[in-house]
Amino acid sequence: MKSTLNNFFSIMLGATFILSVVSCGYKLREIQDYSENVTLSIFFSDSSLNNNFIDLLKRSYNPSNIYLNKSADNPDLILRIIDHSINRYSAAIGSGARTKEARLEYLLVVGLKNSYMNEERVYEIKKTKNYSFDESNILALEEEEKQITNNFIIYSIKKIRLISSKNFKE
């Protein structure tokens, strides 16, 4: 009975503390994300991977403020894609020397410059994903690789938004 009463008072004390902190207006520091009204200039070479990146980027930013391979007047963010690649490797080999598991390695090297940076900085974004590989189901593998690629790109866009935010400190 005593431990139940102690648990009840602990929960009530915790709830009261949280309620008082929230009611006074305290909140965790937010990353300033200015993606809605940002003017973005992107420089890249034409490839299917870069085009996929641009398509997904347009969903995150206002597409009317995105300038492709040309400079806007006083852009908020200049993004230059230096290297962008995905490589597939065999991660595990089964009987008959057939691939059982594959690994996709994603690499994006970008140059970024915004109004908070004195000069362009180069950043490297990497991500790796292992997945089951079955030669008998090629169409499903292609769809899975496409989904993994989109996830890699979404991850890199989030990283770029973080890096280009006001509060980011290296």
Side-chain angles (χ1 to χ4, degrees), residues 6-131:
N6 283 340
N7 284 342
F8 175 74
F9 283 121
S10 296
I11 292 171
M12 291 303 291
L13 181 64
T16 304
F17 175 74
I18 290 171
L19 184 61
S20 64
V21 167
V22 171
S23 66
C24 75
Y26 176 80
K27 63 180 180 176
L28 294 174
R29 187 175 83 173
E30 295 178 355
I31 294 173
Q32 297 288 327
D33 184 17
Y34 54 94
S35 62
E36 296 212 9
N37 298 320
V38 71
T39 302
L40 181 63
S41 290
I42 306 172
F43 298 95
F44 62 99
S45 60
D46 192 30
S47 72
S48 62
L49 189 58
N50 285 344
N51 291 334
N52 192 11
F53 178 85
I54 298 300
D55 290 341
L56 290 172
L57 187 74
K58 285 180 179 178
R59 295 180 193 170
S60 297
Y61 289 88
N62 183 352
S64 63
N65 295 341
I66 296 178
Y67 295 84
L68 304 177
N69 286 326
K70 60 183 173 184
S71 185
D73 295 332
N74 198 18
D76 297 306
L77 179 63
I78 299 170
L79 185 141
R80 185 171 56 94
I81 298 176
I82 299 168
D83 188 13
H84 198 193
S85 63
I86 292 183
N87 294 309
R88 183 189 323 147
Y89 299 98
S90 292
I93 296 178
S95 62
R98 293 182 181 236
T99 301
K100 291 292 212 182
E101 189 175 329
R103 181 179 74 238
L104 287 179
E105 291 185 354
Y106 176 77
L107 171 67
L108 175 63
V109 180
V110 293
L112 291 176
K113 184 175 186 313
N114 64 17
S115 56
Y116 312 107
M117 299 174 181
N118 294 330
E119 58 188 34
E120 180 185 80
R121 295 183 187 154
V122 175
Y123 296 94
E124 192 173 273
I125 301 169
K126 291 181 177 182
K127 194 143 176 80
T128 302
K129 173 75 174 165
N130 290 345
Y131 62 98

